[in-house]
Amino acid sequence: MNICINGTSHTRFGTTNEGIGELAARCCTRLLDDTNLSIDEVGSIYISNFSSHFCAQCHLPALLTSELGVTKESTRVEAACASGGAALKQASIALSSGLYDAIVVVGVEKMSARSQDATSILSYAGSEEERRHGVTFPGLFALMARSHFHEFGTSEVDIAKVAVKNHRNALSNPNAQFHKSITVDDVLNSRVIASPLKLLDCSPITDGAAAVLLSSEEVARRLTDTPVYLTAIAQVSDHLSLKNRETLTSMPAVIKAAEQAFDVSGLTPQDVDVAELHDCFTIAELIEMEDIGFCERGAARELINEGATEIDGEIPVNPSGGLKARGHPVGATGIAQIVEIVRQLRGEAAQRQVPDAEIGLCCNVGGAGGTAVVSVLSR
Amino acid sequence: MNICINGTSHTRFGTTNEGIGELAARCCTRLLDDTNLSIDEVGSIYISNFSSHFCAQCHLPALLTSELGVTKESTRVEAACASGGAALKQASIALSSGLYDAIVVVGVEKMSARSQDATSILSYAGSEEERRHGVTFPGLFALMARSHFHEFGTSEVDIAKVAVKNHRNALSNPNAQFHKSITVDDVLNSRVIASPLKLLDCSPITDGAAAVLLSSEEVARRLTDTPVYLTAIAQVSDHLSLKNRETLTSMPAVIKAAEQAFDVSGLTPQDVDVAELHDCFTIAELIEMEDIGFCERGAARELINEGATEIDGEIPVNPSGGLKARGHPVGATGIAQIVEIVRQLRGEAAQRQVPDAEIGLCCNVGGAGGTAVVSVLSR
């Protein structure tokens, strides 16, 4: 069965005074308005949200139906920072069952009110043992970066270039949190968070929502002339703790999910025209490029230095600005990635448009790689 | 497509020193051992869990695969206190898609370490407005009870009898939290929590896990001679706040979910031989009986006084002891209800066996009724 994505919605990422329910509802309403679909035709709503610790709200399914004024099946799906991908996966399964014709998937997080202890809340996506030893996520990704530097000769300058590229891309994304150009020196001179990662290697604290409408091809053909197909989506969880991985320079769940997604789609990494990767920290973008198979292990730095991951390069990565510059409202991130790829495949990405993009890929990662969701989209 | 439940697992509810991951993993391992199924044959794992505020763990999908030592699709599903029902719904959709042959659904909550502020954490399942005015769940259900008393003449004695029955039933449930017989006077003389609800009208704080194995009929026939069918499952969310309901004496989401489940199954409330209802507070059992259609609105008290809801009555309710006496580890509750009904339909319920039970029903409620999941099972 062909699953189509025929509508997207994306709030301006940053900070908002709205409640989390209002924020999610506004994003859904905009989605339905833009797609000319009545909420009555939507069979089910999936909500991706990482943690109630940010908003003290543990019943989003009913909060959202309350805000939308509907009586409907509504479900929250969570897999840490890969919640968006996991919610999309559930929606795709539901459409495959034939029990639903149209489904709304909305991702939302409102973090700014808890910016003081956000790193602590985010650490709940790691293992208790790691937290007990004081290792929060910047520390975990710093360990991965140090290992990558040691094993492959990747440098602080190489990873800084990821931040520079993603900030540059975000300049032409009206929904990005940051519209600010930065240089490699800005990154290198920014405050050390967990060596070798500096402030500008890290994704920010963000409020935001993103939504997509998934449907059968029949419904999609009625609503739009430019449907995008969710060709494959694979979700894998393995080890929560870094200590249980054979290497720190790779995320096995990403490798496995990518293998499965390529297997189902009959495509290869070389077929991908544009990718949104999970650059929660700059080093993550390199590791994912290698794990997905855009290059050999250790070779991502070469692609970055050659400009291959720029919008006009061989394999453009994070044209939206990525988590780094678009922002990272955790539960919304996996959906925001899909929104960007859909807009790229439809040719709606304006100044950041990747020319002739036909095949796109999203990689949404939970925690330090304990969960990964890889999606392949095509037009 | 016929969906079968061919394995159940249920920890002793109460308190445990295990971590939440260990607790869930132990329950899953027992499930697989008892069903003679290898974890390798399980296509996906669904985890029902209400709130990370109890254990500060926001990545249960990877924690559970870590504990089980597997690489697999693993997803947390949440809909407040109806998380178990919502996870079961997702698993049933996944099996209907034909993409999976066997799925583990495990519900887990570990609340005892936070017993001091559990009521506060539970209040996150309500609306922010209600919380701001100091109304936590005992208060919300007290409002519903007062309205029911006013409108239908239901009394404190009537609802106390629910607690007495459920405690009596739990005496023969080895996995129940309480093995303690109580009287109507015990309930009436227990401490007032939110008038008219007393301590013994309220479900307790509990640690526990419950799991079921769902599969296609083909797999089920290989594993067991006594499969139980998940004949229908319906999930509905509407209003989070009580103030948006037309009446306080009914839960529209329960009415709607029950209607849908009966519609799909082709059955009526009168066909049900045994039910597990969501008695988070005693009044809830009465309201659900009426909303599901076991009797007219306002008439549940008569059934209770006639003994119709006893194990040997016309429509036995909560033979397991219910949330009141089996215990209420929130994320596990919806699955524990299914475990009990499966065991009843298989004739495995020992001293609490409902004679010749062929059709069973579970009603799992989120918050003060903002979400409801109604399942119909048959043998």
Side-chain angles (χ1 to χ4, degrees):
Chain A
M1 148 141 203
N2 287 331
I3 295 167
C4 292
I5 305 181
N6 38 292
T8 60
S9 178
H10 193 304
T11 67
R12 170 79 198 266
F13 283 5
T15 58
T16 178
N17 291 322
E18 289 168 300
I20 188 169
E22 289 169 85
L23 178 60
R26 177 165 63 88
C27 191
C28 290
T29 301
R30 177 71 185 270
L31 175 74
L32 294 166
D33 286 352
D34 280 7
T35 48
N36 285 315
L37 192 76
S38 157
I39 184 79
D40 297 336
E41 295 185 71
V42 172
S44 187
I45 300 171
Y46 288 92
I47 305 159
S48 157
N49 176 253
F50 164 57
S51 177
S52 56
H53 291 264
F54 287 116
C55 291
Q57 175 48 249
C58 293
H59 198 174
L60 285 175
L63 177 60
L64 185 54
T65 54
S66 295
E67 293 279 347
L68 294 171
V70 297
T71 296
K72 201 170 286 293
E73 185 179 303
S74 175
T75 310
R76 175 180 167 220
V77 174
E78 185 259 312
C81 324
S83 296
L88 195 78
K89 174 79 186 182
Q90 288 308 306
S92 80
I93 294 168
L95 281 166
S96 294
S97 75
L99 299 167
Y100 304 83
D101 295 319
I103 293 175
V104 166
V105 188
V106 58
V108 66
E109 207 86 47
K110 191 171 139 50
M111 305 164 75
S112 64
R114 296 294 293 270
S115 59
Q116 293 305 312
D117 59 350
T119 298
S120 173
I121 293 173
L122 289 164
S123 77
Y124 300 160
S127 77
E128 197 190 333
E129 189 180 14
E130 284 163 346
R131 269 190 291 139
R132 205 187 309 134
H133 290 88
V135 194
T136 58
F137 278 95
L140 293 170
F141 279 89
L143 289 168
M144 293 162 80
R146 275 277 171 236
S147 298
H148 208 273
F149 289 8
H150 175 75
E151 198 165 336
F152 302 116
T154 305
S155 72
E156 297 185 30
V157 172
D158 295 330
I159 63 172
K161 287 179 180 170
V162 169
V164 171
K165 166 182 67 70
N166 291 351
H167 270 264
R168 185 165 53 242
N169 290 350
L171 290 173
S172 52
N173 180 354
N175 292 318
Q177 180 168 8
F178 298 124
H179 292 143
K180 182 179 159 62
S181 186
I182 60 171
T183 65
V184 167
D185 278 345
D186 288 336
V187 181
L188 298 179
N189 294 327
S190 65
R191 184 159 58 90
V192 173
I193 301 297
S195 178
L197 302 178
K198 271 75 68 181
L199 180 66
L200 290 176
D201 285 301
C202 308
S203 57
I205 304 302
T206 313
D207 302 337
V212 290
L213 179 71
L214 263 69
S215 77
S216 62
E217 189 162 10
E218 191 186 334
V219 171
R221 290 281 171 205
R222 177 161 63 80
L223 296 173
T224 178
D225 295 329
T226 54
V228 166
Y229 296 88
L230 180 60
T231 309
I233 176 167
Q235 176 183 336
V236 170
S237 295
D238 56 5
H239 297 298
L240 191 59
S241 290
L242 284 191
K243 72 166 188 185
N244 293 323
R245 304 231 184 106
E246 286 183 17
T247 167
L248 294 183
T249 59
S250 173
M251 298 191 277
V254 172
I255 295 175
K256 187 89 178 174
E259 279 175 0
Q260 289 181 9
F262 285 124
D263 192 43
V264 169
S265 64
L267 298 168
T268 70
Q270 283 61 51
D271 293 318
V272 175
D273 298 313
V274 54
E276 286 280 317
L277 305 187
H278 195 96
D279 59 320
C280 47
F281 300 91
T282 48
I283 183 65
E285 185 167 310
L286 283 81
I287 291 176
E288 289 162 38
M289 287 170 61
E290 296 167 3
D291 285 344
I292 289 164
F294 291 149
C295 58
E296 296 294 311
R297 284 187 66 195
R301 58 188 293 260
E302 292 165 34
L303 290 184
I304 289 162
N305 283 303
E306 289 164 7
T309 59
E310 302 284 343
I311 285 173
D312 60 356
E314 202 182 320
I315 172 63
V317 173
N318 286 327
S320 71
L323 282 61
K324 176 66 202 81
R326 179 187 62 221
H328 183 28
V330 181
T333 283
I335 307 301
Q337 293 178 321
I338 299 286
V339 168
E340 177 67 13
I341 293 297
V342 170
R343 292 180 181 179
Q344 288 284 348
L345 298 184
R346 282 177 160 184
E348 297 171 351
Q351 292 151 285
R352 65 185 191 284
Q353 181 67 47
V354 172
D356 301 322
E358 293 187 2
I359 309 286
L361 177 144
C362 294
C363 178
N364 189 198
V365 171
T371 296
V373 184
V374 173
S375 307
V376 176
L377 293 83
S378 59
R379 69 170 158 100
Chain B
M1 148 139 203
N2 286 331
I3 296 167
C4 292
I5 305 180
N6 37 294
T8 61
S9 178
H10 194 304
T11 67
R12 170 79 197 265
F13 282 5
T15 58
T16 179
N17 291 323
E18 288 168 300
I20 188 169
E22 289 170 86
L23 178 59
R26 176 165 62 89
C27 191
C28 290
T29 302
R30 177 71 185 268
L31 174 74
L32 294 166
D33 286 352
D34 280 7
T35 48
N36 285 315
L37 192 76
S38 157
I39 185 78
D40 297 337
E41 295 186 71
V42 172
S44 187
I45 300 172
Y46 288 92
I47 305 158
S48 157
N49 177 252
F50 164 58
S51 178
S52 55
H53 291 264
F54 287 116
C55 290
Q57 175 48 248
C58 294
H59 199 174
L60 284 174
L63 178 59
L64 184 55
T65 52
S66 296
E67 293 280 347
L68 294 171
V70 296
T71 296
K72 201 171 284 295
E73 185 179 303
S74 174
T75 309
R76 175 181 167 219
V77 174
E78 185 259 311
C81 323
S83 296
L88 195 78
K89 173 81 187 181
Q90 289 308 306
S92 79
I93 293 168
L95 281 167
S96 295
S97 75
L99 299 166
Y100 304 84
D101 295 320
I103 293 176
V104 166
V105 188
V106 59
V108 65
E109 205 87 45
K110 189 170 141 52
M111 305 164 73
S112 64
R114 295 294 293 268
S115 60
Q116 293 305 311
D117 59 350
T119 299
S120 173
I121 293 173
L122 289 164
S123 78
Y124 300 160
S127 78
E128 197 189 334
E129 190 179 12
E130 284 163 343
R131 269 189 291 139
R132 207 187 308 134
H133 290 88
V135 194
T136 57
F137 277 96
L140 293 171
F141 279 90
L143 289 168
M144 294 162 80
R146 276 278 172 236
S147 299
H148 208 273
F149 289 9
H150 176 74
E151 198 167 335
F152 301 117
T154 305
S155 72
E156 296 185 31
V157 171
D158 295 331
I159 63 173
K161 287 178 180 169
V162 169
V164 171
K165 165 181 68 70
N166 291 351
H167 269 264
R168 185 164 53 242
N169 290 349
L171 291 174
S172 50
N173 181 355
N175 292 318
Q177 180 168 8
F178 297 124
H179 292 143
K180 180 179 161 59
S181 186
I182 60 171
T183 66
V184 168
D185 279 345
D186 288 336
V187 181
L188 298 179
N189 294 328
S190 65
R191 186 159 57 90
V192 173
I193 300 298
S195 177
L197 301 177
K198 270 76 69 181
L199 180 67
L200 289 176
D201 286 300
C202 308
S203 56
I205 305 300
T206 313
D207 301 339
V212 290
L213 179 71
L214 263 69
S215 77
S216 63
E217 188 164 10
E218 191 186 334
V219 171
R221 291 280 170 206
R222 176 162 63 82
L223 296 173
T224 176
D225 295 330
T226 54
V228 165
Y229 296 88
L230 180 59
T231 309
I233 176 166
Q235 177 184 336
V236 170
S237 295
D238 56 4
H239 298 298
L240 191 60
S241 291
L242 283 191
K243 71 167 188 184
N244 293 323
R245 304 229 185 108
E246 287 181 16
T247 169
L248 294 183
T249 58
S250 174
M251 298 190 278
V254 173
I255 294 175
K256 187 88 177 175
E259 278 174 2
Q260 288 180 9
F262 286 125
D263 192 42
V264 169
S265 64
L267 298 168
T268 71
Q270 284 61 53
D271 292 318
V272 175
D273 298 314
V274 55
E276 286 281 315
L277 305 187
H278 196 96
D279 58 321
C280 46
F281 299 91
T282 48
I283 183 65
E285 184 167 312
L286 283 81
I287 291 175
E288 289 162 38
M289 286 170 62
E290 296 166 5
D291 285 344
I292 289 163
F294 291 150
C295 58
E296 296 293 311
R297 284 187 65 198
R301 59 189 292 261
E302 292 165 33
L303 290 184
I304 288 163
N305 283 302
E306 288 164 7
T309 59
E310 302 285 343
I311 285 173
D312 59 356
E314 202 180 319
I315 173 62
V317 173
N318 285 328
S320 70
L323 282 62
K324 177 66 203 81
R326 178 188 62 221
H328 183 27
V330 180
T333 283
I335 307 301
Q337 294 179 320
I338 299 287
V339 168
E340 176 67 14
I341 293 297
V342 169
R343 292 179 180 180
Q344 288 284 348
L345 298 183
R346 282 178 159 183
E348 296 171 352
Q351 290 150 287
R352 65 186 191 286
Q353 180 68 47
V354 171
D356 301 322
E358 291 187 2
I359 309 286
L361 178 144
C362 294
C363 178
N364 189 199
V365 171
T371 296
V373 184
V374 173
S375 307
V376 175
L377 293 84
S378 58
R379 69 169 158 99

